[in-house]
Amino acid sequence: MAVAVPPHILAIPPYVPGKPIEELERERGITGSIKLASNENPLGPSPRAIAALAAALGTLHRYPDSTGYRLTRKIARRLGLAPEQVVLGNGSDEILALLARAFLQPGDEVLLPEPAFAMYEIEARASGAVPVPVPLHDFRTDLEAMAGRVGARTRIVFLNSPHNPTGHRIPREALLRFLARLPAEVIAVVDEAYVEFVREPADTDPRPLLAGPRPVVVLRTFSKAYGLAGLRVGYGLMPAGIAAVLHRVRPPFNVNRAAQVAAEAALDDEAFLAESRRVVHEGIDFLRAGLARLGLFCLPSEANFLMFALPGEARPVYEGLLARGVIVRPLASYGYPRHLRVSVGRPEENRRFLDALRAVLGR
Ligand SMILES: *Cc1c(COP(=O)(O)O)cnc(C)c1O
């Protein structure tokens, strides 16, 4: 290509999504596959969201509400925050992009756990910033090491709790102590994409995180527990001053009309959320027990997925599962060539995964 690509763009590692069912079935000429690879809600979307969406289809010729007036207010009211503290995004991914665009300059440093969700590094690099990976310690975010790496050029610190792919949640007290140690000019981003699955609700109130004098941004999404990954809607909770900066760089219609309508209805569908939590908690317990029976070690998880270790290379096991129509997530790109991540499915999907795994391992 004749066009020069800036070196910081060439340095961006490509994002590897979970394999879509359609792709697997096209490649292998099979049907009836299941996907347990992207931590999606196994129950589908909230029925109230589907109904609200259907009722709104006739208004799709109108641009969406730019600030998501109703949805931001509903979220703020739920969480005991001011509406000015809520910024909606085209998935919580977009909030990462807005933060990077608004606050990072070439040469700035961004701390992130290693491994972590790929978008932290991608957005940092896209802004010309320097990602500073801090390895997990014993599969947990190493807050001590991260605090030690904060320097004069550090602008953003990314944390993910519960962490993808380990499922580990940073204990509340440790998180608050860490945030209190950060310099006032460093933004801490706490990605809580899986927070709805945490079993201890007292630990999920975002207000203590946002109460301190430091700039903290809490990321949440409708993609996981609310079952709306395909519509792309998430949000950030933050000081109003940070929100005002993000609005400067936010595309005016970043969250589409369908997504706003469906997310509002999903928030009201408390029965669906409770059922999603129940299915995930039971599924986690079922999968843990099944993996243990196969002699496989898995990490404790507070999210809707489990990371488990294989005796050797995971790739042939991943391939063997694909051949049986079961898609899970290989973790070699996360630096774990001997681990796989499986998302909780419906009970029959979980059983099918364990049966396929038993067959592949020849147990
Ligand atoms: C799934 C996930 C998200 C959610 O991304 P959306 O853009 O809201 O769909 C964010 N962070 C992590 C770590 C995730 O695993």
Side-chain angles (χ1 to χ4, degrees), residues 183-218:
E185 63 277 10
V186 173
I187 300 175
V189 178
V190 186
D191 181 351
E192 294 190 333
Y194 301 97
V195 73
E196 290 85 4
F197 302 115
V198 170
R199 298 197 196 201
E200 185 46 71
D203 284 351
T204 64
D205 184 348
R207 287 174 297 186
L209 304 183
L210 298 166
R214 284 165 193 77
V216 174
V217 176
V218 176

Side-chain angles (χ1 to χ4, degrees), residues 316-342:
V317 179
Y318 168 71
E319 293 290 340
L321 290 171
L322 282 186
R324 286 167 173 78
V326 177
I327 310 172
V328 298
R329 187 67 157 247
L331 296 176
S333 66
Y334 287 80
Y336 297 123
R338 294 171 160 238
H339 288 78
L340 291 173
R341 190 192 71 194
V342 59

Side-chain angles (χ1 to χ4, degrees), residues 53-306:
L53 203 49
L57 291 179
T59 67
L60 291 185
H61 60 303
R62 302 281 179 210
Y63 279 100
D65 180 333
S66 169
T67 56
Y69 181 90
R70 289 166 54 105
L71 181 56
T72 45
R73 265 163 185 72
K74 189 164 271 192
I75 292 167
R77 203 174 328 116
R78 269 307 143 93
L79 298 171
L81 297 167
E84 296 72 31
Q85 293 180 277
V86 181
V87 177
L88 303 180
N90 190 259
S92 52
D93 279 4
E94 193 190 26
I95 307 290
L96 297 171
L98 300 179
L99 284 164
R101 198 190 295 178
F103 290 102
L104 294 179
Q105 300 192 62
D108 286 347
E109 288 184 358
V110 172
L111 294 191
L112 62 172
E114 181 182 58
F117 187 48
M119 292 313 298
Y120 309 151
E121 177 179 347
I122 290 173
E123 294 299 350
R125 287 196 187 277
S127 288
V130 181
V132 179
V134 181
L136 301 187
H137 178 72
D138 201 13
F139 299 104
R140 293 165 182 214
T141 305
D142 191 342
L143 295 177
E144 237 358 90
M146 286 190 104
R149 295 301 300 273
V150 175
R153 300 230 59 176
T154 309
R155 287 288 163 269
I156 295 183
V157 176
F158 285 113
L159 298 173
N160 180 202
S161 177
H163 179 273
N164 179 9
T166 65
H168 178 255
R169 180 170 62 88
I170 302 170
R172 209 5 106 86
E173 288 312 310
L175 179 56
L176 289 171
R177 275 198 306 277
F178 174 80
L179 295 176
R181 286 171 73 181
L182 288 179
E185 63 277 10
V186 173
I187 300 175
V189 178
V190 186
D191 181 351
E192 294 190 333
Y194 301 97
V195 73
E196 290 85 4
F197 302 115
V198 170
R199 298 197 196 201
E200 185 46 71
D203 284 351
T204 64
D205 184 348
R207 287 174 297 186
L209 304 183
L210 298 166
R214 284 165 193 77
V216 174
V217 176
V218 176
L219 297 184
R220 296 193 172 186
T221 182
F222 287 94
S223 295
K224 307 289 159 57
Y226 292 98
L228 297 178
L231 275 179
R232 314 302 304 125
V233 51
Y235 54 98
L237 310 168
M238 62 198 83
I242 301 270
V245 178
L246 293 196
H247 284 305
R248 287 175 180 261
V249 297
R250 182 178 63 80
F253 306 112
N254 61 328
V255 179
N256 70 72
R257 179 176 278 273
Q260 291 188 32
V261 166
E264 258 190 78
L267 264 189
D268 286 335
D269 199 345
E270 287 176 19
F272 178 80
L273 183 64
E275 177 67 1
S276 299
R277 278 169 53 85
R278 190 187 65 75
V279 164
V280 163
H281 294 161
E282 289 184 10
I284 286 277
D285 295 344
F286 176 80
L287 288 172
R288 285 188 71 82
L291 289 167
R293 274 196 302 279
L294 292 172
L296 301 176
F297 171 78
C298 68
L299 294 167
S301 171
E302 297 213 47
N304 62 342
F305 53 82
L306 283 173

